[in-house]
């Protein structure tokens, strides 16, 4: 898995957390915390995930 896939997946989950608030699926404080936490983790994954090494020919 690449860091791009991890970051995009976490961002998508963060958006879903924010979308739970208007539809009253989760309380506002849990939805906000989950959304911000997922975006924070996406940034960490993007910044600190090791690069994929291409095999040398």
């Amino acid at each position: 898995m690449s860091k791009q896939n991890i970051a995009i997946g976490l961002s998508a989950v963060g958006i879903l957390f924010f979308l739970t608030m208007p539809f009253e699926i989760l309380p506002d404080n849990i939805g906000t915390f989950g959304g911000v936490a997922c975006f924070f983790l996406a940034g960490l994954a993007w910044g600190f995930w090791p690069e994929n090494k291409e095999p040398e020919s």
Side-chain angles (χ1 to χ4, degrees), residues 12-21 26 30-35 38:
V13 172
I15 291 169
L16 290 175
F17 268 111
F18 284 122
L19 287 176
T20 62
M21 293 184 294
L26 290 175
I30 294 174
T32 302
F33 177 78
C38 284

Side-chain angles (χ1 to χ4, degrees), residues 5-45:
N5 292 341
I6 299 293
I8 289 170
L10 284 169
S11 296
V13 172
I15 291 169
L16 290 175
F17 268 111
F18 284 122
L19 287 176
T20 62
M21 293 184 294
F23 297 106
E24 298 178 359
I25 298 170
L26 290 175
D28 289 350
N29 57 349
I30 294 174
T32 302
F33 177 78
V36 170
C38 284
F39 285 123
F40 181 76
L41 290 173
L44 286 177

